Amino acid sequence: MNAVTEPRWLRWILIALALAFLALNLGLPLAVVFVEAFKKGSATYFAAIAEPDARAALRLTLLVAAIAVPLNIAVGLAASWAIAKFDFRFKSFLVTLIDLPFSVSPVVAGLIYVLLFGLQGWWGEWLQAHDVQIIFAVPGLVLATVFITFPFVARELIPLMEEQGREEEEAALSLGASGWATFTRVTLPNIRWGLLYGVLLCNARAMGEFGAVSVVSGHIRGKTTTLPLHIEILYNEYNFVAAFAVASLLAGLALVTLVVKSFLEWQHAGQLAGRGH
Amino acid sequence: MQSGLLQRRQSIIPGFGLTFGVTMFMLSVVVLIPLSAIFVRAATMPVSEFTAVALSPRALAAYRLSFGAAALAAMINGVFGLLTAWVLVRYEFPGRRIISALVDLPFALPTAVAGIALTALYAPNGWLGAVLVPLGLKIAFTPTGIVVALIFVGLPFVVRTVEPVLADLGKEVEEAAASLGASRWQAFTRVILPAIAPALITGCALAFARALGEYGSVIFIAGNLPMKSEIAPLLIVVQLEQYNIAGATAIAVVMLVASFILLLLINSLQGWQRRRMAS
C-alpha cells in the first residue's frame, strides 16, 4: 500500500460521500427546474415563455445587462491598467474598495439607491420636479446591477495583469508605439481570455441578480420586472409551471456559463489569473 | 498633477491619469457616494428612532437567525467543502472534470432560480419533502430550509479556496510523516489539516459573509414568519414596503457594519494564508 494515499475502500467511500452531497445539493436543484418546467408538456412550456410579460422581462434583462456589462468592462480595464502598470499610494486600499460590493447584501445595495433617488431620498424631489425617474425605472435597475457586478471584471484582470508585468508594454513604447496601440496590440491580446472569463461571470450575475433589483424595481409587471423578478411574481401567483419555465431559461444560461468557463479553464489556464502556476 | 502626488516613481507607460480617474469616478458614483448616503442618513436620525427599529425584538430575532443560519451553513460547508476539494484534488474517478465544473453552479445560477428549485424539492409534496416530511423532518418553510439554501449558496467558496492549497501541498511532508511511522489519520490531522487550515477558515468566512446578506435563494424556502423565520435582509425589504425608510436604513447600517468587520477579518485571513503559502 502506498504510504501517502488512503486504502482503496476508503477512497471509494469518500468519493461516494462527496458525490452524494453534490448530487443532493447541486444536482437535484438543477434537475428539478427542468422537470417542473416541462411537467405539463412542451406546449405549456413554450406558451409560458412566449407570453408577452415574459418576453418583456427577457428584453429588460438583456437591456440591463447590455448597459451594465460594457460599463464594467470599461471600469475593469481602467482599474487593472492603473493598478497593475503603476506604483502608487493606497493601491491595496483601492483594490479593497473595488471588491467592496461583494461584501454588501444585495438588499442593502438596492436600498442605497432608494435613499438617493427615491421619493423620500436626497435628490427625490429635484428628480420629480424635473420629471426624471430612476427608482422604479430602468436607470435604477442598471445602477443596482452595476453596483453588484462592479468587482467581477476588475478582480479577474488585476492579478492577471500584475502577473504579466510591464516589460512587454515598456518594450512596445520604447520602440515608438503609441499608448493606445500598446494597449490594443500588446496588452489586450495578453489578457483576452481573462477578460472573457470576467465578462462571463459578470454577465451571469447581471442577468440573474435578484435582491438588489427587487428593491429598486417597483415590480411593475411587463415594465420593470427582469426575468428573476418575473419568476417571483409567477411563483407567488402559484403559477409554478410558468415560473419554472422562465427559470429554465436562466438555468440554461447558467449551464452555458459553466461550460464556457470550464472550457477557458482547461484550454487557457495559463492566461487566467492565478491558474497558470 | 494628480499622478505626481500619488505615483511613487515615474513610468514610461502612459494613461495613469485617465485610468485612475475613470476608476475613481465610477467607484465614487456607483459605490462610495451611495454607500455613504446610508451612514449619513443614519447619523441624522435621532438615536431613539435608530434603536427603536435596529434593536427591536423583531430585528434582534432576525439578526440571530441570519447569523446563526449563516454560521451553521458555513460549518457544514467547511466539512463537505473540504471533502469535495479533497476528492477532486486527490482522486481520479470517471466524470471528475464535470463534477468539478458543477461545483461552481451556485456562482452561475440566479438565486431566485435556486430558491424556487430548493423549495420545490423540500416542500411536503416535493421529491425530498415527500420522503422527509412523513419522517417528521420539515425543511421547507422552517429555519432549517434557510440553512439548506445557504449551504447551496456558500459551497463553492470553500471548495475553490481550499482546492489550490491542497493541490500545492507537496507529498514530501506526508511521505516524511509516513516514514516516521505516522498513520494516515495522524498525517491528515497533524500535517495536512494545519497546512490547509488558513485556506479552510478563509473559505468558511467567505461563505459566511455571502450567506449573511443572501436574499433571493432564502425568501422562497424560509416561510418568512416574523420572529421565527424572517432573515435580516428580508426585514429591510419589509420596512421598505411599509414606507419606513428610516427603519430600513437602521437595520441596513447594522448589517453593513457586520459586513465591513467580516471584510477586514477576511482580508487579514488572506494575508495569513499568503504568508503561509510563501514560507
Side-chain angles (χ1 to χ4, degrees), chain A residues 6 87 103 105 113 261-262, chain B residues 8 30 91 101 104 184 213 259:
Chain A
E6 289 69 51
D87 295 306
S103 43
S105 170
Y113 293 108
K261 182 175 160 298
S262 308
Chain B
R8 284 201 169 129
V30 176
Y91 305 148
D104 279 333
R184 196 63 197 137
S259 330

Side-chain angles (χ1 to χ4, degrees), chain A residues 3-7 10-12 14-15 17-19 21-22 24-33 35-36 71 74-75 77-83 85-90 94 96-108 111-116 120-123 143 146-147 150 166 169-171 173-174 178-180 197 201 204-205 207-211 214-215 219 228 231-232 235-236 243-244 247-248 250-251 253-255 257-258 261-262 265-266 277, chain B residues 4-9 11-16 18-20 22-24 26-27 29-38 40-41 76-77 80-81 83-84 86-88 90-94 97-99 101-122 127-128 141 148 151-152 155 160 168 171 174-175 178-179 184 209-210 212-217 219-220 233-234 236-237 240-241 243-245 248-249 252 255-256 259-260 263 267:
Chain A
V4 289
T5 190
E6 289 69 51
L10 183 58
R11 281 209 301 266
W12 285 108
L14 291 176
I15 292 173
L17 257 177
L19 291 185
F21 173 75
L22 294 177
L24 180 75
N25 198 36
L26 304 177
L28 280 182
L30 186 62
V32 83
V33 171
V35 172
E36 292 287 322
L71 264 178
V75 183
L77 285 171
S80 52
W81 183 269
I83 288 167
K85 303 296 177 199
F86 299 93
D87 295 306
F88 56 92
R89 275 177 251 273
F90 312 118
L94 179 61
T96 306
L97 285 183
I98 290 173
D99 268 348
L100 198 58
F102 272 156
S103 43
V104 174
S105 170
V107 169
V108 178
L111 174 69
I112 58 180
Y113 293 108
V114 174
L115 289 181
L116 284 182
Q120 300 178 50
W122 279 359
W123 300 317
L143 274 173
V146 174
F147 180 98
F150 198 84
R166 304 165 193 178
E169 281 81 4
E170 282 165 354
L173 288 160
S174 58
S178 70
W180 179 250
Y197 191 89
L201 297 180
R205 186 67 198 262
M207 291 191 172
E209 178 49 28
F210 179 75
S214 163
V215 172
H219 304 277
I231 293 172
E232 185 196 20
Y235 192 86
N236 288 342
F244 279 102
S248 75
L250 288 172
L253 171 75
L255 287 178
T257 302
L258 285 184
K261 182 175 160 298
S262 308
E265 284 165 359
W266 297 337
H277 303 283
Chain B
L5 274 174
L6 274 161
Q7 254 180 279
R8 284 201 169 129
R9 64 179 161 85
S11 164
I12 67 158
I13 301 177
F16 180 74
L18 175 71
T19 54
F20 185 80
V22 166
T23 307
M24 286 312 293
M26 284 297 285
L27 189 63
V29 168
V30 176
V31 181
L32 300 180
I33 296 174
L35 266 183
S36 57
I38 209 163
V40 172
R41 180 91 186 205
I76 294 171
N77 272 333
F80 284 98
L83 172 69
T84 305
W86 178 272
V87 164
L88 287 176
R90 292 286 171 116
Y91 305 148
E92 261 318 317
F93 55 93
R97 279 185 146 191
I98 293 169
I99 299 293
L102 188 71
V103 167
D104 279 333
L105 179 72
F107 284 158
L109 192 70
T111 52
V113 178
I116 63 168
L118 290 171
T119 313
L121 281 178
Y122 289 97
W127 295 353
L128 296 171
F141 317 121
V148 167
I151 292 173
F152 175 87
L155 178 72
R160 293 304 177 224
D168 275 354
K171 286 254 177 187
E174 289 170 50
E175 277 161 11
S179 68
R184 196 63 197 137
R210 170 67 201 266
L212 199 56
E214 178 56 23
Y215 176 72
S217 60
I219 54 160
F220 295 99
L234 175 66
I236 297 175
V237 173
L240 267 179
E241 279 168 357
Y243 301 103
N244 183 0
I245 300 226
T249 307
M255 295 304 285
L256 261 182
S259 330
F260 289 163
L263 183 66
N267 272 351

Side-chain angles (χ1 to χ4, degrees), chain B residues 55-80:
Chain B
L55 301 180
S56 66
R58 188 174 172 185
L60 291 178
Y63 304 140
R64 230 184 345 260
L65 178 64
S66 276
F67 280 86
L72 190 57
M75 280 190 280
I76 294 171
N77 272 333
V79 175
F80 284 98

Side-chain angles (χ1 to χ4, degrees), chain A:
Chain A
M1 194 188 82
N2 190 338
V4 289
T5 190
E6 289 69 51
R8 199 185 169 82
W9 61 269
L10 183 58
R11 281 209 301 266
W12 285 108
I13 286 179
L14 291 176
I15 292 173
L17 257 177
L19 291 185
F21 173 75
L22 294 177
L24 180 75
N25 198 36
L26 304 177
L28 280 182
L30 186 62
V32 83
V33 171
F34 292 99
V35 172
E36 292 287 322
F38 284 100
K39 211 173 188 174
K40 296 204 174 129
S42 54
T44 325
Y45 175 85
F46 289 111
I49 291 176
E51 186 247 345
D53 286 342
R55 278 183 2 222
L58 175 63
R59 268 197 304 274
L60 184 59
T61 298
L62 293 175
L63 173 70
V64 169
I67 304 170
V69 175
L71 264 178
N72 277 323
I73 294 176
V75 183
L77 285 171
S80 52
W81 183 269
I83 288 167
K85 303 296 177 199
F86 299 93
D87 295 306
F88 56 92
R89 275 177 251 273
F90 312 118
K91 193 196 264 192
S92 60
F93 184 61
L94 179 61
V95 176
T96 306
L97 285 183
I98 290 173
D99 268 348
L100 198 58
F102 272 156
S103 43
V104 174
S105 170
V107 169
V108 178
L111 174 69
I112 58 180
Y113 293 108
V114 174
L115 289 181
L116 284 182
F117 305 119
L119 258 186
Q120 300 178 50
W122 279 359
W123 300 317
E125 280 180 25
W126 187 90
L127 289 171
Q128 202 188 22
H130 292 79
D131 210 24
V132 181
Q133 191 151 22
I134 292 181
I135 297 304
F136 305 155
V138 176
L141 296 172
V142 171
L143 274 173
T145 306
V146 174
F147 180 98
I148 289 291
T149 54
F150 198 84
F152 278 90
V153 180
R155 86 155 10 185
E156 181 60 33
L157 289 184
I158 292 168
L160 178 64
M161 278 167 75
E162 280 182 332
E163 264 172 47
Q164 291 177 343
R166 304 165 193 178
E167 290 81 10
E168 288 186 42
E169 281 81 4
E170 282 165 354
L173 288 160
S174 58
L175 288 172
S178 70
W180 179 250
T182 307
F183 172 72
T184 53
R185 304 255 186 91
V186 178
T187 312
L188 219 46
N190 278 342
I191 60 167
R192 57 177 183 220
W193 299 115
L195 179 63
L196 181 59
Y197 191 89
V199 168
L200 196 67
L201 297 180
C202 178
N203 180 64
R205 186 67 198 262
M207 291 191 172
E209 178 49 28
F210 179 75
V213 293
S214 163
V215 172
V216 295
S217 133
H219 304 277
I220 308 161
R221 197 174 176 141
K223 286 223 163 60
T224 64
T225 50
T226 59
L227 282 178
L229 299 175
H230 190 58
I231 293 172
E232 185 196 20
I233 291 180
L234 292 170
Y235 192 86
N236 288 342
E237 288 170 346
Y238 302 102
N239 193 350
F240 296 133
V241 171
F244 279 102
V246 176
S248 75
L249 294 179
L250 288 172
L253 171 75
L255 287 178
V256 171
T257 302
L258 285 184
V259 168
V260 179
K261 182 175 160 298
S262 308
F263 175 79
L264 288 177
E265 284 165 359
W266 297 337
Q267 294 297 315
H268 303 285
Q271 289 140 296
L272 299 176
R275 293 172 196 86
H277 303 283

